[in-house]
Amino acid sequence: MTSIARPGKIIALHLNYRSRAAQRGRVPEQPSYFLKPPTSVAASGEVLERPAGTELLGFEGEIALVIGRLARRVSPEDGWAYVSGITAANDFGVYDLRYADKGSNLRSKGGDGFTPLGPAVLPAADVDPAALRLRTWLNGALVQDDTTADLLFGFGRLVADLSQLITLEPGDVVLTGTPAGASVAGPGDVVEVEVSAGEHSTGRLVTPIGEGTVPFGPFGALPRADEKQRADAYGTSEPEFTLTRELRERIESVGTATLSVQLRKRGYHDVFIEGLTSTRPGARLTGRARTLRYLPYREDLFRAHGGGYNAQKRAIDALGPGDVLVMEARGERGTGTVGDILALRAQVNGAAGIVTDGGVRDLAAVSALDIPTYHAGPHPAVLGRRHVPWEVDVAIACGGAAVCPGDVIAGDGDGVLVIPPHLVEEVVDAAIEQERQETFIAEQVAAGERVEGLYPMDEHWRGRYAAWLAKR
């Protein structure tokens, strides 16, 4: 067993285990790759910081091949002979930046310390490449356990394929893919990876996770997490909810009052965000929630978190088309939680709206924008008078309602509702039917009919309604 030096280059494989391909819902015909910089290498025991402002630090336990001699245009049958050893690897990445890489993975997976290797290298001559076991633990719980019998592309084939165009040099590292079970780690977690072959073992590659404190600057792509990235990061195979244009139009075809009735019928009595006024009361608001939480003002906390590129500015910059920024300001109206510049930035980003249970500065200018902003009232004071911008995209409370990232937000002149994604289709269908019935009832009342038996409809009127509906 030997330790590993920093490689000249690191080449990583996208998909190579059948279990992971099944999780992703696709099986590649040929292997595909991306590069990781040598500066991403770390040793066992080194703390890896989750970058400040990110949510989805994904880990992927992998087997790393260490190239032992120059390989150029070798055959699949000979490829394994160019490998001097294997070791454990962890292919870390922040899913929050995948959108910015256009498939290269450079920023999302190339950060310093994002490729821990070790602790020991097993000589290739001592192991069977088709009989290796890979295991990963998160805080002591086994989360990945697979063998190279499950590979789509054998190690010799990978070396041969790469060597067709790229000269592999001694010390280069090839990461060979991860099985199902890869997920997300956060500050305080410990991730361990081990590769074994019978009595041979690399030992556990240990990576404690810390919290980064230096925020991203505004001169590059900023972290952005959405439901798709969360699903990919956590490895969930549940169908993704998408707020399509057609569904958005159906939501906006009914009022929030009707949607509220249908939510109450299903036991959801506290999904109305109380006490807010819209800057554009005639406009509809429909979108997916992104969240921002403020803490009560405290001098030391504001000094550390309130200035510069703080959580408020990061939340605004991270908004995308169809997003609704929902802020938890504890109902504190004694200062502004957003002003005209940041509201304009949200509008330019394509956001659907802003919701805060706190105050708004520059109300006249904010009201002149196209983007609707729901607020608890105007106030000229700056943020630091009462608030510390604290964290983004976490579950919050706004106007007495719980709001989770990804919830559907629906607003009109009556106010703002929070709809859990799994209920949207059902609630909207029922609301459309309710309003259809109320249209029929209103027509009958306008024609002089009595309300008794009509509202709500008895058996007689239900028959009349069915006939009326058939004609439409």
Side-chain angles (χ1 to χ4, degrees):
M1 295 186 183
T2 58
S3 60
I4 188 167
R6 177 177 287 185
K9 55 183 172 286
I10 305 166
I11 302 174
L13 194 65
H14 282 111
L15 278 175
N16 198 21
Y17 284 81
R18 290 183 175 85
S19 61
R20 182 69 161 176
Q23 193 176 53
R24 287 289 194 242
R26 62 185 179 88
V27 178
E29 292 184 9
Q30 301 292 343
S32 62
Y33 314 89
F34 59 94
L35 283 168
K36 301 190 76 172
T39 49
S40 68
V41 169
S44 183
E46 290 188 28
V47 175
L48 173 62
E49 289 188 352
R50 184 181 70 178
T54 65
E55 169 192 349
L56 304 173
L57 177 64
F59 63 83
E60 298 178 2
E62 304 202 13
I63 298 171
L65 310 182
V66 182
I67 301 300
R69 56 193 176 103
L70 206 70
R72 180 73 166 114
R73 295 196 178 103
V74 304
S75 69
E77 294 74 22
D78 294 335
W80 176 247
Y82 290 81
V83 177
S84 62
I86 62 165
T87 193
N90 205 327
D91 181 16
F92 280 100
V94 282
Y95 283 74
D96 313 59
L97 287 172
R98 284 211 306 182
Y99 79 96
D101 276 342
K102 308 298 184 185
S104 75
N105 286 341
L106 178 61
R107 296 191 76 210
S108 60
K109 290 206 167 198
D112 289 357
F114 278 28
T115 314
L117 297 172
V121 179
L122 301 181
D126 292 348
V127 300
D128 178 356
L132 300 176
R133 185 182 186 186
L134 170 65
R135 287 180 291 176
T136 306
W137 294 263
L138 176 62
N139 298 326
L142 185 65
V143 292
Q144 290 185 289
D145 189 358
D146 213 330
T147 71
T148 48
D150 194 42
L151 293 181
L152 295 168
F153 312 112
F155 295 156
R157 177 176 174 179
L158 297 180
V159 172
D161 183 31
L162 289 167
S163 73
Q164 293 184 90
L165 289 171
I166 302 168
T167 297
L168 300 179
E169 299 174 313
D172 287 349
V173 166
V174 179
L175 306 184
T176 59
T178 195
S183 190
V184 171
D189 290 337
V190 177
V191 188
E192 301 171 276
V193 184
E194 180 186 20
V195 178
S196 58
E199 71 276 14
H200 301 290
S201 170
T202 61
R204 292 197 184 187
L205 171 65
V206 180
T207 306
I209 308 300
E211 180 68 276
T213 58
V214 180
F216 286 86
F219 38 80
L222 299 170
R224 180 190 301 169
D226 57 26
E227 291 307 300
K228 182 181 187 312
Q229 301 306 333
R230 291 187 183 93
D232 284 351
Y234 283 96
T236 177
S237 58
E238 293 186 10
E240 178 190 352
F241 171 82
T242 302
L243 184 57
T244 63
R245 177 181 298 179
E246 185 271 338
L247 181 53
R248 187 188 306 271
E249 291 173 351
R250 288 171 58 215
I251 293 172
E252 294 182 353
S253 73
V254 294
T256 57
T258 310
L259 293 167
S260 179
V261 169
Q262 294 303 325
L263 284 163
R264 288 200 306 273
K265 286 183 176 180
R266 289 156 178 81
Y268 288 78
H269 299 282
D270 299 299
V271 290
F272 185 78
I273 300 180
E274 301 281 355
L276 306 188
T277 302
S278 176
T279 57
R280 300 192 63 216
R284 289 299 301 256
L285 168 64
T286 310
R288 304 293 298 278
R290 302 291 299 275
T291 62
L292 168 63
R293 184 165 75 97
Y294 295 108
L295 291 184
Y297 178 81
R298 204 176 85 183
E299 185 175 353
D300 59 328
L301 296 180
F302 191 85
R303 188 165 53 247
H305 298 276
Y309 195 56
N310 59 33
Q312 179 202 43
K313 294 181 176 67
R314 294 200 305 272
I316 293 287
D317 264 343
L319 293 175
D323 288 341
V324 178
L325 179 59
V326 185
M327 304 184 196
E328 176 187 331
R330 310 174 312 283
E332 170 55 62
R333 300 171 53 187
T335 191
T337 55
V338 68
D340 58 341
I341 298 298
L342 293 185
L344 176 60
R345 175 61 175 159
Q347 176 175 294
V348 169
N349 283 355
I354 298 170
V355 179
T356 175
D357 62 354
V360 169
R361 294 182 71 225
D362 313 305
L363 181 60
V366 173
S367 298
L369 297 174
D370 293 332
I371 186 172
T373 297
Y374 286 78
H375 61 95
H379 202 284
V382 295
L383 185 70
R385 183 170 183 262
R386 297 288 173 84
H387 300 297
V388 180
W390 194 250
E391 58 185 341
V392 300
D393 284 332
V394 295
I396 64 169
C398 182
V403 184
C404 296
D407 282 346
V408 173
I409 305 299
D412 59 16
D414 285 341
V416 186
L417 283 174
V418 182
I419 310 176
H422 71 279
L423 284 177
V424 172
E425 294 274 4
E426 177 185 339
V427 165
V428 171
D429 286 345
I432 291 172
E433 172 60 20
Q434 177 185 332
E435 291 206 349
R436 191 182 292 127
Q437 291 182 19
E438 289 176 352
T439 299
F440 168 75
I441 292 169
E443 287 183 9
Q444 307 312 308
V445 171
E449 296 289 349
R450 292 166 54 87
V451 172
E452 184 181 4
L454 174 60
Y455 187 55
M457 290 187 287
D458 59 18
E459 185 176 349
H460 165 75
W461 280 111
R462 287 195 173 279
R464 294 276 298 272
Y465 169 69
W468 174 86
L469 196 61
K471 292 179 180 179
R472 289 168 63 92

